[in-house]
Amino acid sequence: MSENVQHHQQEIEVKEDSLLQGIRDCIPTLLGYLSIGFAAGVVGKTSGLSVLEITLMSTLIYAGSAQFIMAGMIAAHGSAAAIILTVFIVNLRHLLLSAAMSPYFRHLSAFKTMFVGVLLTDETFGVAMNKAMNRSSLSEKWMHGLNITAYLNWIIATIAGAFFGKWITDPEKYGLDFALTAMFIGLLVLQMISRKIIRKDLIVAVCAVLIVLGAGSFVSGSVAVIIATIVAAAIGMVVEKWK
């Protein structure tokens, strides 16, 4: 009986999660998007890209790490094939993010799920997973509010960075090249604190770092990160069951 009541309560909560609520839940992340997007715009501008090219990159690619990498490779005159392959490898993590999110949208058709996942980012994934704690599903409208707000904010931030980038000739001097890494660290710490199982999370985090360092000796950094993500996630499952 208690399980039925809990399930009914979850259904009510999902229905109450409107598009507007998704927008509101995205607000705490907007400062991070603004700072990282601005940095991406500046780095793109100093790499020789125009404001239009940076805007198109943010609109069509919409991936902070990929845009930083693309800017660096374009500045180094990398080939189109090398840039495409590198961006593809770096963004493979979105397969993992989507796989983790998919159980909460089983009530949607494949077509609707595609629109939910196409704008998924590391930040919206973090917000959604926190929302999904003790739930079996998430609201489609809520997720659209979260994703679209983040998407528009990112585009605006990168355009601003591209416009003001002409006055910032050395992004590394202001630490803008480290902005994306700093944001990921902040998201990780916040999520670990909210989960309240810090010891288990630290075990997984340390394993991931050691795997990246070890695999980095044999493969590229991007591939090492993917390997570490998969192996560390498996270790996390084992630790969760074992504990």
Side-chain angles (χ1 to χ4, degrees):
M1 179 66 70
S2 61
E3 290 183 358
N4 290 333
V5 172
Q6 185 178 6
H7 180 69
H8 181 65
Q9 184 178 359
Q10 288 179 359
E11 288 182 344
I12 294 174
E13 289 175 346
V14 170
K15 289 179 181 178
E16 289 178 348
D17 289 333
S18 62
L19 181 77
L20 182 59
Q21 185 60 47
I23 295 173
R24 289 172 179 167
D25 288 342
C26 188
I27 290 175
T29 69
L30 294 187
L31 185 60
Y33 275 101
L34 285 172
S35 58
I36 305 304
F38 184 86
V42 171
V43 171
K45 187 65 176 178
T46 55
S47 299
L49 298 174
S50 66
V51 175
L52 178 59
E53 288 170 335
I54 293 170
T55 303
L56 287 173
M57 188 186 295
S58 295
T59 304
L60 301 177
I61 298 176
Y62 185 44
S65 55
Q67 289 178 229
F68 276 98
I69 291 171
M70 284 184 66
M73 293 185 72
I74 289 172
H77 305 290
S79 66
I83 293 173
I84 292 171
L85 179 62
T86 303
V87 169
F88 174 75
I89 293 174
V90 169
N91 283 342
L92 277 177
R93 73 184 188 281
H94 287 281
L95 292 177
L96 301 175
L97 300 183
S98 299
M101 288 293 300
S102 61
Y104 300 101
F105 295 98
R106 287 174 179 167
H107 57 288
L108 300 180
S109 65
F111 184 74
K112 289 184 177 180
T113 304
M114 179 185 69
F115 281 101
V116 169
V118 72
L119 293 180
L120 186 67
T121 66
D122 301 274
E123 296 79 17
T124 56
F125 171 80
V127 175
M129 290 306 290
N130 283 332
K131 186 82 168 180
M133 292 179 66
N134 302 318
R135 287 191 178 195
S136 59
S137 61
L138 290 172
S139 165
E140 177 190 5
K141 291 181 179 179
W142 176 84
M143 196 67 198
H144 284 320
L146 178 69
N147 279 340
I148 294 172
T149 303
Y151 178 58
L152 295 177
N153 189 67
W154 175 260
I155 295 173
I156 292 171
T158 51
I159 292 174
F163 179 76
F164 291 106
K166 58 186 176 182
W167 291 293
I168 304 175
T169 57
D170 186 9
E172 294 183 10
K173 181 179 178 181
Y174 302 98
L176 295 178
D177 57 322
F178 188 72
L180 187 66
T181 305
M183 184 184 67
F184 284 155
I185 293 172
L187 287 171
L188 175 62
V189 171
L190 289 174
Q191 193 162 17
M192 288 174 65
I193 293 173
S194 65
R195 281 162 51 85
K196 297 180 180 179
I197 48 175
I198 296 178
R199 187 171 68 174
K200 296 178 183 178
D201 289 341
L202 283 176
I203 292 174
V204 176
V206 170
C207 290
V209 171
L210 293 176
I211 294 168
V212 166
L213 294 175
S217 302
F218 305 98
V219 296
S220 67
S222 300
V223 175
V225 169
I226 295 171
I227 293 173
T229 301
I230 296 172
V231 176
I235 293 173
M237 278 181 37
V238 173
V239 170
E240 187 73 23
K241 297 291 183 182
W242 179 48
K243 294 290 183 178

